[in-house]
Amino acid sequence: MTEDLGLGWRGDALDLPAYLKRVGLGADLPPTEATLRALHRAHITSVPFENLEIMLGRPIAVDLESVQAKLVDRPRGGYCFEHSGLFAAVLERLGFEVRGLVARVMMGADKLRPTTHGILRVRLPGQAPDEPGWLADTGFGAGPLEPVRFVDGAEDDQDGWGYRLRRGDTHAWELHHRTPDGWMRRHMFDENEAYRVDFEALNFYVYAHPHSPFTTRPFVQRFLPDSHHVLDGTTVTVTRPDGSVETRAHTPAALPDVLASDFAITLEGDDPGRLVAWLEARA
């Protein structure tokens, strides 16, 4: 057996038919731009974003076997390092060139924030070096639905949701998304390559550090072409592409059913009771 040196994304170990069934796609997928767009959209709209393992008292594992068992084989989701690692394995298996990157989630802030978000730079096989690739961001929970071209100033309207990629002042790139008040800088990043081991190290901070926002409350998202659903604590917010927003508050006891109906997440075994108990203890 060849030693795993930590390079690449282990696409050879992926159960590709199971993944394609999970996201609702067929098997004939050549490594083209059309395939990349279809895969990205299918993944975003099929596999939700969630941090519930933290509330359930379990660490979040980002090795391919664990991620596949959770995001593909079960009606669950994950956050960026799970999503991006899985998507990288899929793309690698199909023949795309994939490079991991890490970003600072800013959400309009000016103060520098740590690198806590895993994303991908994707290129077609044999693509000329001077041709731009694509930013694939399947793990943010709020789109984009499709990858964004690595072109300075490129704006992309996707089913009414707006995104813009531009060169930054302090970092190589910034991804912005459109809000009713204009463009907001979502995250910024450089082009230094990140590997699986980097995702593992940053993942530990995100799920275990007391200052991580993901340790304080459930945070779940489902992004669809016509709506963005967010569970923050016990409150669900639904935002539409036109900027309209509706909000609903729930009791802790209602959340397992809300997760199933609004987010396509089914908690199994004693997990529903554990989640409710965690929330009630902090109410």
Side-chain angles (χ1 to χ4, degrees):
M1 181 180 293
T2 303
E3 181 184 3
D4 180 8
L5 300 179
L7 302 172
W9 296 95
R10 302 192 59 224
D12 59 330
L14 175 77
D15 186 346
L16 184 61
Y19 172 84
L20 294 177
K21 181 179 180 181
R22 174 75 163 102
V23 301
L25 293 179
D28 186 17
L29 294 173
T32 63
E33 178 180 351
T35 291
L36 176 60
R37 292 189 178 279
L39 275 170
H40 200 288
R41 178 178 285 261
H43 186 113
I44 288 286
T45 56
S46 300
V47 189
F49 177 106
E50 50 125 316
N51 69 334
L52 298 175
E53 292 296 278
I54 302 172
M55 284 75 246
L56 298 172
R58 294 190 289 262
I60 293 177
V62 294
D63 63 279
L64 182 61
E65 288 77 10
S66 297
V67 171
Q68 182 165 272
K70 182 177 169 220
L71 276 66
V72 175
D73 300 337
R74 297 165 60 198
R76 292 288 304 275
Y79 60 31
C80 66
F81 297 115
E82 297 168 277
H83 280 277
S84 289
L86 174 62
F87 199 62
V90 172
L91 295 178
E92 183 180 80
R93 175 70 170 271
L94 292 174
F96 292 92
E97 297 178 10
V98 187
R99 169 180 287 199
L101 304 172
V102 290
R104 303 177 188 275
V105 178
M106 303 302 292
M107 296 304 290
D110 293 321
K111 184 178 180 180
L112 196 64
R113 291 180 172 176
T115 50
T116 57
H117 183 50
I119 54 179
L120 305 172
R121 180 163 189 161
V122 185
R123 295 173 59 81
L124 306 183
Q127 187 175 346
D130 59 343
E131 292 182 11
W134 288 266
L135 169 64
D137 190 359
T138 54
F140 196 79
L145 288 164
E146 298 182 3
V148 178
R149 195 76 156 152
F150 263 100
V151 174
D152 185 20
E155 294 186 13
D156 202 350
D157 187 284
Q158 302 180 0
D159 294 41
W161 307 98
Y163 303 93
R164 179 177 70 185
L165 191 63
R166 60 179 289 263
R167 290 284 184 179
D169 297 326
T170 60
H171 289 69
W173 293 97
E174 297 177 350
L175 180 67
H176 298 238
H177 68 261
R178 191 172 58 228
T179 75
D181 298 321
W183 290 105
M184 174 184 286
R185 182 173 62 174
R186 174 181 288 190
H187 50 62
M188 56 189 191
F189 58 96
D190 294 315
E191 296 185 63
N192 301 321
E193 186 165 8
Y195 301 93
R196 281 183 281 130
V197 67
D198 301 310
F199 278 21
E200 291 169 5
L202 293 172
N203 171 63
F204 181 75
Y205 170 86
V206 172
Y207 84 72
H209 197 283
H211 291 166
S212 168
F214 286 147
T215 65
T216 61
R217 85 284 193 217
F219 191 67
V220 184
Q221 301 180 83
R222 189 180 185 195
F223 193 75
L224 301 170
D226 64 350
S227 57
H228 177 213
H229 300 247
V230 178
L231 170 68
D232 193 341
T234 57
T235 300
V236 172
T237 301
V238 181
T239 304
R240 308 285 178 183
D242 63 5
S244 62
V245 177
E246 57 185 90
T247 301
R248 301 187 300 272
H250 297 278
T251 64
L255 283 199
D257 289 337
V258 171
L259 289 169
S261 62
D262 292 10
F263 297 92
I265 292 173
T266 301
L267 297 181
E268 301 162 324
D270 63 355
D271 283 351
R274 295 171 71 178
L275 176 62
V276 172
W278 189 95
L279 287 162
E280 289 179 341
R282 290 157 177 79

